[in-house]
Amino acid sequence: MKFKISLVLGFVLLTGAATAQQEGAKGLSLQECIEYALNNNQDVINAAYEKEIAQTQVGETLSRGLPQVNIDAGINYNFEPQKSLLDASTFDPSVPEGQEVELSFQQKYDGNVALSVRQLIFDGSFFVGLQASKTYKELSTKEHIKTQIDVVEAVSKAYYNVLVTEEQFELLQVNLARLDTLLNETQIMYDNGFAEKIDVSRLKVQHNNLKVQVENTEKLLTVNRDLLKFQMGMPITETIALTDQLEEVVFTEPTLDSEGFNYTERIEYSQLQTNMALANLDLKNNKVQYIPTLYANFNYGYNTQTSESSQLFETNRWLNFGTAGLSLNIPVFDGFLKSNRIQKNKIQIRQIEKSFEQMENSIDLQINQTKINMVNSLEQMKAQRENMELAEEIYNVTKIKYQEGVGSNFEVVEADADYKEAQTNYYNALYDALVAKVELEKAYGTLLK
């Protein structure tokens, strides 16, 4: 069932002061505030950066499967050449066997330059890691969406809070003007001997209290506007005016069943699914650690040795070399490291499986609670609106009776207090209904749509 708020208050909503305050202000609807926040709120911006970081991690993982090419070059001055002890009889039969001499096969200078290429042929952890990096990117995307939902909720509540406070402020100004008129009329009646001093005093007390309330509400309105700008990521110094009207807000009274609801509509549930996928990939990665890895290697380069530094750059002294081959690594025993990791993964997966059940129950509870809260809020709002209209009627009748001399000033003051209390109760109920509307949409996962 759909209905619109109808504010039949019988007074001018926009006063001269309020109009002056909004001159030059930037008009924004709720949707425009939300769009601004999604582009400027710092939490949303940071979550978007996390998405970009996740994308770079995909590329980082992919790079492991591409050829790894390096060029190494160096020149050394062997100020103390490495020596070896050799049997001198090997070179001179006249020397007794076993007599050792120091010999060095290293010259004073040497240099080398080489190109090395290493290419992955098979490594199970690489392919699993590539899947995991893409899944992590998906998780960061969902975290970005969750941040956006939280920001939309905060902005919506702050926007409605400003709207309600504006209405309260305008109504309080009208109340103050009405009470000021009544005070002046009573003062004239007292001056002419048709009213007592206590009648004037009662109204002055009411007038002073209401004046303070108007000033406090004006300050509160400034604070609420600043809070809205903060939630939007807008500089506090900006001046804004809200263009939406409370009477245009449409409430949908919910039914108390959840047929057709898909848990994946909730971003938290979708995040849990992605976490489950990551846990399974981690398990898969630890299992493939038992599989051998195979890499291809290629090296080609030049080296030289000389006793004179000036000969280092003579091309005819540089001798080439090259190798090509495969390297195979077969895991044999790691002290049960992989086995323990696999057991840990299995426990983590069971833990997440249990979390799905808890998450579903939590979502069901939230939906039921927000539905009931919405129904109660709408009923309370209707009742308080009716009470406000009745209190206004009672005040008008009481005032007429007093002006015609058949009622007391005390009755007027009491009726005025009851009327202002009914107004406060109505606006509190109205804001509660608006908050309930936002929370119901969030519970159904439709707040961002």
Side-chain angles (χ1 to χ4, degrees), residues 203-413:
L203 289 173
K204 281 185 177 180
V205 170
Q206 289 285 91
H207 184 273
N208 292 338
N209 289 339
L210 186 57
K211 186 177 180 181
V212 171
Q213 189 176 357
V214 169
E215 293 172 353
N216 290 341
T217 304
E218 185 176 17
K219 295 174 184 176
L220 178 62
L221 181 57
T222 300
V223 172
N224 290 343
R225 284 200 183 104
D226 288 345
L227 176 60
L228 172 60
K229 288 181 280 188
F230 173 78
Q231 298 290 3
M232 292 167 57
M234 176 181 285
I236 302 299
T237 54
E238 289 283 336
T239 304
I240 62 173
L242 310 191
T243 58
D244 286 1
Q245 301 295 325
L246 285 174
E247 60 265 27
E248 297 174 353
V249 179
V250 178
F251 292 93
T252 301
E253 187 172 331
T255 56
L256 295 181
D257 56 46
S258 56
E259 294 180 4
F261 177 74
N262 189 342
Y263 291 112
T264 57
E265 294 292 329
R266 287 288 296 270
I267 190 62
E268 298 91 340
Y269 193 87
S270 183
Q271 284 178 304
L272 194 58
Q273 289 178 317
T274 306
N275 283 327
M276 174 63 87
L278 284 172
N280 280 304
L281 286 171
D282 195 19
L283 172 63
K284 185 178 180 181
N285 181 57
N286 285 318
K287 286 182 176 180
V288 298
Q289 298 291 326
Y290 287 105
I291 302 175
T293 60
L294 183 63
Y295 284 79
N297 303 290
F298 174 82
N299 295 277
Y300 189 82
Y302 295 86
N303 59 23
T304 187
Q305 289 195 57
T306 178
S307 59
E308 300 294 334
S309 60
S310 60
Q311 295 177 333
L312 276 174
F313 302 100
E314 294 179 6
T315 56
N316 61 331
R317 297 188 60 86
W318 286 80
L319 308 177
N320 62 321
F321 67 90
T323 62
L326 299 174
S327 60
L328 178 67
N329 179 273
I330 303 175
V332 179
F333 181 69
D334 61 359
F336 303 108
L337 177 62
K338 290 187 287 291
S339 176
N340 286 320
R341 286 177 174 173
I342 289 172
Q343 292 305 314
K344 183 183 72 173
N345 293 145
K346 290 180 179 179
I347 295 172
Q348 289 173 333
I349 290 172
R350 288 198 296 268
Q351 187 179 36
I352 296 176
E353 286 174 349
K354 288 295 182 181
S355 298
F356 275 108
E357 182 179 346
Q358 183 181 11
M359 176 70 74
E360 291 173 3
N361 288 334
S362 175
I363 291 174
D364 290 340
L365 178 63
Q366 288 177 16
I367 289 176
N368 289 334
Q369 285 181 333
T370 53
K371 282 180 177 179
I372 293 172
N373 189 33
M374 182 71 168
V375 171
N376 292 341
S377 297
L378 292 178
E379 291 177 353
Q380 181 71 6
M381 186 184 67
K382 293 176 186 177
Q384 294 300 334
R385 181 174 56 189
E386 184 178 355
N387 288 342
M388 183 179 66
E389 292 170 352
L390 291 173
E392 182 184 17
E393 182 180 346
I394 292 172
Y395 170 79
N396 291 332
V397 171
T398 304
K399 180 183 176 183
I400 293 173
K401 289 173 63 178
Y402 173 67
Q403 290 173 335
E404 293 180 352
V406 294
S408 68
N409 171 268
F410 178 77
E411 291 176 335
V412 175
V413 172

Side-chain angles (χ1 to χ4, degrees), residues 166-185:
E166 284 180 344
E167 290 274 0
Q168 286 180 306
F169 178 63
E170 292 161 2
L171 183 56
L172 286 172
Q173 288 180 309
V174 173
N175 289 342
L176 183 61
R178 186 189 70 245
L179 193 58
D180 187 65
T181 301
L182 180 59
L183 177 60
N184 291 333
E185 291 175 353

